[in-house]
Amino acid sequence: MNLSIRNQLPGAVLEITHGEAMSTVRVTLRGGQEITAAVTRAAVEDLGLAPGQSVTALVKSTEVALATGPLSGVSIRNQLPGTVSAITSGAAMATVEVAITGGELTAAITQAAVADLGLAPGSPVVALVKSTEVSLLAG
Amino acid sequence: MNLSIRNQLPGAVLEITHGEAMSTVRVTLRGGQEITAAVTRAAVEDLGLAPGQSVTALVKSTEVALATGPLSGVSIRNQLPGTVSAITSGAAMATVEVAITGGELTAAITQAAVADLGLAPGSPVVALVKSTEVSLLAG
Amino acid sequence: MNLSIRNQLPGAVLEITHGEAMSTVRVTLRGGQEITAAVTRAAVEDLGLAPGQSVTALVKSTEVALATGPLSGVSIRNQLPGTVSAITSGAAMATVEVAITGGELTAAITQAAVADLGLAPGSPVVALVKSTEVSLLAG
């Protein structure tokens, strides 16, 4: 199966918190980082997710933001440090490849942000992903 | 009213599940497919949404992912099969038009994904949309 | 700290509604507008958010939609009226700068939407942001 979602991070379920409509699922990635996904409770039940289960966290490139350092005091649960490996610039948008521990991430951000942050191959960055933007693939 | 949100899918409310903060709303589209929206409970109450009510599901192009076939075991609730009708490629990003039963969808994905998936007019695809990315317009 | 997230709107927490997994936080922006963020409950607790506290609402450009007028009967909680100040067009995507009361917003939308809505510097628009797309930075 081929999927346009560029970011596919393998890991295992650590903990699940159920609400009535939504659930949050904490996942330990293979690289050792932790990531939280906010998904519908119906999805968690249909997938039969449970602690220990293998899952792949899926994140669209357009949902990844970049900071030039760690960000404290922010509601964004997922922060993955890495290094810029490549940048493709368009007129309005750019895609930035980031090497993280145990994998690679793509961020689609505005070209203006690339310029303002002075991003270039080798730049240290922290990739930021809101929990509501993380989907989970079982197995 | 003109709106930049490219994907506007008419349907009717099937079922609502309320949490304290968030609600999930299942909608049957006119094309017969089902779509789930995760929205704030306050929005559902302010709109007075109820089963049977006409709504239009709104999805920004940047929130639509594409797969070359159905995806099982995934938390993404909304999967709409269709056929690529047109592709506009930029340096970093591309927009892909997909004809689905009862309508048309636009997906804004990376140009790298278009290349990797070998997408072209006529390609069968499944459009994937996370419930948290679906908004509802009453009436 | 430099951050690729283009939209950073300072304000203060007005009200918090807790669910088990998710919380909604209403924020009064300095420009006087109100904005709602749907974030994980764990984030609200970790940040110690409370009414009156200073926060900055963060919204990625790809999460901002534009309408040519106010939109009623919609689940999207956040509507910020403004005026287009600049447009950068790519083949597939465009970025649109919008001056709002008390600040500036960037929307990354499809170039097709810019053309269909006839957007140009000076156009009055309403920026729309789904609550699940709003993050909060304390302080």
Side-chain angles (χ1 to χ4, degrees), chain C residues 1-126:
Chain C
M1 197 276 319
N2 278 315
L3 187 59
S4 70
I5 301 176
R6 304 302 283 170
N7 302 309
Q8 307 190 14
L9 305 169
V13 173
L14 180 64
E15 188 186 31
I16 301 174
T17 302
H18 281 304
E20 293 298 320
M22 298 290 290
S23 298
T24 51
V25 182
R26 289 170 60 202
V27 173
T28 307
L29 300 181
R30 268 197 214 148
Q33 312 96 323
E34 194 182 303
I35 199 165
T36 298
V39 300
T40 62
R41 178 174 181 153
V44 173
E45 290 173 349
D46 286 358
L47 297 182
L49 293 183
Q53 192 171 341
S54 290
V55 290
T56 300
L58 305 177
V59 184
K60 267 178 71 65
S61 304
T62 46
E63 308 300 358
V64 181
L66 298 175
T68 53
L71 195 56
S72 63
V74 73
S75 67
I76 302 171
R77 303 303 282 170
N78 305 310
Q79 300 201 22
L80 302 171
T83 304
V84 173
S85 53
I87 299 175
T88 303
S89 291
M93 299 290 290
T95 49
V96 181
E97 306 288 327
V98 177
I100 62 168
T101 305
E104 185 90 13
L105 280 178
T106 302
I109 63 179
T110 61
Q111 176 57 28
V114 170
D116 285 357
L117 271 62
L119 297 181
S123 299
V125 289
V126 176

Side-chain angles (χ1 to χ4, degrees), chain B residues 11-113:
Chain B
V13 174
L14 180 64
E15 189 185 32
I16 301 174
T17 302
H18 282 304
E20 292 297 321
M22 299 289 291
S23 300
T24 50
V25 181
R26 288 170 61 203
V27 173
T28 306
L29 300 181
R30 269 196 213 149
Q33 312 97 322
E34 195 181 302
I35 199 165
T36 298
V39 300
T40 62
R41 179 173 179 154
V44 173
E45 290 174 348
D46 286 358
L47 297 182
L49 292 183
Q53 193 171 340
S54 290
V55 290
T56 300
L58 304 176
V59 183
K60 268 178 73 60
S61 304
T62 47
E63 309 299 358
V64 181
L66 298 176
T68 54
L71 195 55
S72 62
V74 74
S75 69
I76 301 172
R77 304 302 282 171
N78 305 309
Q79 302 200 22
L80 303 170
T83 304
V84 173
S85 54
I87 300 176
T88 303
S89 290
M93 299 291 290
T95 49
V96 181
E97 307 287 327
V98 178
I100 62 167
T101 304
E104 186 88 12
L105 280 178
T106 302
I109 63 178
T110 61
Q111 176 56 29

